[in-house]
Amino acid sequence: MDMKNQELLRQAAKKLIDPNGTLAEKDMARRIMVDHIRKTAPKDSGADYRVLQYNILRDGDGWGWAYLAEPGVDCSRRIEPLCAIVEGYRPDIIGFAERYDCWEDEANLTGRMKAYGYAIVENALPEEMRM
């Protein structure tokens, strides 16, 4: 990705997490991210399902698309870029790793994914297999 597109995506992500951003600004930022994903995502390979696995609460130098936003952003502000990524890829199945209670308390992750038409299966692994 060239520097111009990378900077455009970074600014769009920052606008999505800006609590003072207007709805119109956030709408435009979301469209920028979704359009970029749809243009650059691998095309359908004839597989039965599209699967997305996403580490939503990664610590360290960033999260997800690390070059797009700063670390330490709370779940309620991080939900918008996450939704843009889901909307852009349109996976059939999503696995969210590192999902803690804050994703429900602050961001209503389950409600947002249900609004996209996803059925929710939580804690699919037996307790002894979870980390």
Side-chain angles (χ1 to χ4, degrees), residues 11 13 83 121:
Q11 293 304 317
C83 287
V121 178

Side-chain angles (χ1 to χ4, degrees), residues 4-31:
K4 182 179 177 185
N5 283 333
Q6 187 173 338
E7 184 58 29
L8 183 64
L9 288 171
R10 180 180 289 115
Q11 293 304 317
K14 285 183 177 183
K15 190 52 68 180
L16 281 176
I17 64 173
D18 181 359
N20 299 316
T22 67
L23 186 56
E25 290 170 330
K26 289 179 184 284
D27 229 21
M28 177 61 80
R30 177 190 211 90
R31 280 198 305 270

Side-chain angles (χ1 to χ4, degrees), residues 4-114:
K4 182 179 177 185
N5 283 333
Q6 187 173 338
E7 184 58 29
L8 183 64
L9 288 171
R10 180 180 289 115
Q11 293 304 317
K14 285 183 177 183
K15 190 52 68 180
L16 281 176
I17 64 173
D18 181 359
N20 299 316
T22 67
L23 186 56
E25 290 170 330
K26 289 179 184 284
D27 229 21
M28 177 61 80
R30 177 190 211 90
R31 280 198 305 270
I32 288 169
M33 288 183 71
V34 170
D35 288 346
H36 171 75
I37 293 168
R38 288 185 180 161
K39 287 177 189 169
T40 60
K43 303 304 177 215
D44 185 3
S45 64
D48 292 336
Y49 299 100
R50 287 182 58 114
V51 178
L52 173 72
Q53 188 281 328
Y54 198 81
N55 289 27
I56 57 177
L57 198 58
R58 183 178 152 238
D59 292 326
D61 295 330
W63 52 273
W65 290 4
Y67 59 87
L68 291 180
E70 303 300 320
V73 177
D74 62 75
C75 301
S76 64
R77 289 172 50 204
R78 291 169 52 187
I79 190 72
E80 293 304 328
L82 172 64
C83 287
I85 290 167
V86 168
E87 189 177 329
Y89 283 110
R90 297 183 195 164
D92 297 302
I93 300 168
I94 306 170
F96 290 120
E98 301 179 22
R99 181 200 149 279
Y100 295 96
D101 290 342
C102 69
W103 279 95
E104 297 309 324
D105 299 342
E106 298 173 11
N108 188 20
L109 178 65
T110 298
R112 298 291 290 267
M113 293 303 108
K114 284 182 177 179

